[in-house]
Amino acid sequence: MNTTGRTVWAVLAMLVLMVAGHLRAAAQSTARPNIVVILSDDHAYQAISAYGSRLTQTPHIDRIAREGALFNKAYVTNSICGPSRATILSGRYSHKNGFKDNVQSDFNFNQHIFVKDLQQAGYQTAWIGKMHLGDSTPQGFDYYNLLPGQGHYYNPDFIGVGKVRKQYHGYVTNIITDLSEQWLNGRDKDKPFCLVIGHKATHRVWMPDLPDLGLFENKTFPLPANFYDNYATRKAAMVQDMSIDKTMLMDYDLKMYDSVAVADRQAAVKRMDAVQKKTVLDHYKKIYDDLKARKLSGKELVEWKYQRYLRDYLATAASLDRNIGRVLDYLDQHDLTKNTIVIYLSDQGFYMGEHGWFDKRFMYEESFRTPMVMRYPGVIKPGSKVNDFVMNLDIAPTLLDAAKANKPADLQGLSFLPLFNKGHHATRDALYYHYYENGEHAVSPHFGIKTKRYKLIRFYKRVESWELFDLEKDPHELNNIYPTPKGKEVAAGLKKQLAALIDQYEDTEAKVIFEQSIE
Ligand code: SGN
Ligand code: CA
């Protein structure tokens, strides 16, 4: 063959390879969506405008809901940080994945987690930000860069692959987004990806980014209907230690520092540079001086604390929402939007003053339920509203379903993709919950069942009691009807359903407690 002939063949061969490459990329992109899971910490649905918040606007979370689905009944299996993440990763309840509370040992990564199956299916995987599963080396992620433990709002450390620890300058929510964008830029573009962005926001102590300080200073928020709760009929609620009145601290939580020396001792302030510190301390000093002049006490002081709590919390959430917007913009700008699933959820719900509380843990609605929105172009019709029960337990099977990857047999969750099929197949008619931690905030361990109408809870260890709520008549969960004749009758039926769920999920510890009869 002469030189011209060889060149023609070489060009033809290159063209064939290029076309094949494009076809492969096209096939991959339609068959296997990219996945972005944005997981916040302690973000209440009451603080999200897509859920009709009376408190604030969250335009970017709302955009996901508008272009995809809003889940009105998304719940968690165990309302606390590490256990929720362990459930999301494993698709199994705490008693199966072994991570029951935040105070025990590290998560055992030598178990089935959905990211390993995605890797097997050819995905690139990464987790950036807060993970909070202890110190064991993560498996299933090609890349990770994680906040140690709870992490810090200002100038946080991150621990990356190979245990490399590095401090970054700036505000945590922005840094997590920067690192996420960097990873997306550098990824292998021939493979689909799954990126988990784990935010610290809006965790205690609700420290806003500098431009957001003062965002809500001129706003006064309405009190929730059950802000003043005397906990009559509910022993566990009576003994908790998570009230705005008694537990929330003026200095630690609300940044009312008597002096710069007091401020310097606070973990939230300690790591700030001089400019950050001056901006933050100047902001709170004015509020502190005003408070001193007003000499508040009793109800006035509790309501003042509630307003301060909300202002800091919502200002911290403003940065979270803005950074979610940055990720959506990135996907737009890189032509990734139409082939990328985006899920936003919190690790659990949070009390915004309901029952007089902050924090979570209880099976009561505000902490049991979590906000969740999901965009999946071509599969989820924009503006969908999902009123079926779904759980954080379902994320793993759902994403494996979407990626057409192998689903391990021991998954306890259910893919919720069938909810978006034409036929619409409901997933479950009752929810099972089990909370274990028995320490900070003094919430008694408990398990229970929620149906469309009722919620039956068995508290144990700290408090031994049953509670039953008729959610139709008593949506704020103030009136435990378990001891009433009608309650006894309803509870008898629910106990059968609860026993069936305990068996179905093989929660042997709960079974033993359930079978001990108490009134
Ligand atoms: C910390 C907080 C608690 C919070 C837990 C669990 N105290 O211990 O208020 O309930 O985390 O939160 S703090 O003084 O450290 O802020 S979780 O989101 O990690 O589960
Ligand atoms: Ca949390």
Side-chain angles (χ1 to χ4, degrees), residues 86-266:
T87 292
I88 289 171
L89 278 174
S90 67
R92 294 189 296 282
Y93 274 87
S94 308
H95 61 277
K96 290 286 184 185
N97 66 46
F99 204 85
K100 294 179 179 171
D101 59 48
N102 270 345
V103 288
Q104 46 159 28
S105 60
D106 307 322
F107 180 70
N108 176 10
F109 275 96
N110 292 320
Q111 62 179 298
H112 244 126
I113 50 176
F114 79 88
V115 279
K116 290 187 188 173
D117 297 303
L118 288 182
Q119 278 183 323
Q120 287 278 314
Y123 273 73
Q124 270 170 107
T125 59
W127 187 310
I128 293 166
K130 184 172 175 182
M131 184 189 258
H132 206 201
L133 286 176
D135 291 332
S136 50
T137 304
Q139 293 177 30
F141 296 100
D142 299 311
Y143 175 82
Y144 54 86
N145 206 3
L146 307 174
L147 295 171
Q150 295 284 6
H152 289 279
Y153 275 110
Y154 279 87
N155 310 330
D157 283 359
F158 282 76
I159 300 181
V161 178
K163 300 258 177 228
V164 182
R165 190 175 182 120
K166 186 177 161 195
Q167 183 171 15
Y168 290 74
H169 184 264
Y171 184 70
V172 69
T173 313
N174 303 328
I175 297 168
I176 290 170
T177 312
D178 295 344
L179 292 172
S180 300
E181 290 189 354
Q182 280 165 27
W183 182 79
L184 286 168
N185 285 334
R187 75 186 200 280
D188 175 353
K189 303 210 168 65
D190 282 337
K191 288 179 165 181
F193 65 85
C194 172
L195 167 64
V196 183
I197 304 175
H199 282 292
K200 173 179 172 63
T202 48
H203 196 272
R204 194 181 184 189
V205 293
W206 322 296
M207 186 58 103
D209 192 4
L210 300 180
D212 300 321
L213 284 164
L215 210 56
F216 294 93
E217 286 316 308
N218 299 321
K219 253 198 108 168
T220 303
F221 301 100
L223 292 178
N226 55 358
F227 184 72
Y228 290 108
D229 182 352
N230 62 10
Y231 314 122
T233 73
R234 288 150 296 143
K235 277 192 234 162
M238 189 95 77
V239 304
Q240 54 52 52
D241 182 21
M242 49 189 258
S243 72
I244 293 173
D245 182 7
K246 299 204 171 68
T247 318
M248 187 175 278
L249 300 169
M250 292 299 273
D251 49 4
Y252 180 74
D253 287 305
L254 300 179
K255 300 104 185 164
M256 295 297 102
Y257 309 131
D258 270 327
S259 64
V260 175
V262 170
D264 280 341
R265 286 200 291 275
Q266 305 295 327

Side-chain angles (χ1 to χ4, degrees), residues 138 151 182 218 273 349 382 390 406-407 439 443 451 459 472 511 518:
Q182 280 165 27
N218 299 321
D273 69 21
V390 297
N406 170 54
K407 266 198 246 165
V443 174
T451 62
F459 288 94
E472 224 165 67
K511 192 172 169 81
I518 60 152

Side-chain angles (χ1 to χ4, degrees), residues 40-42 80-81 85 130 203 346-348 360:
S40 64
D41 203 298
D42 296 358
I80 187 152
C81 192
R85 283 160 181 75
K130 184 172 175 182
H203 196 272
S346 175
D347 59 350
Q348 17 54 217
K360 53 261 179 174

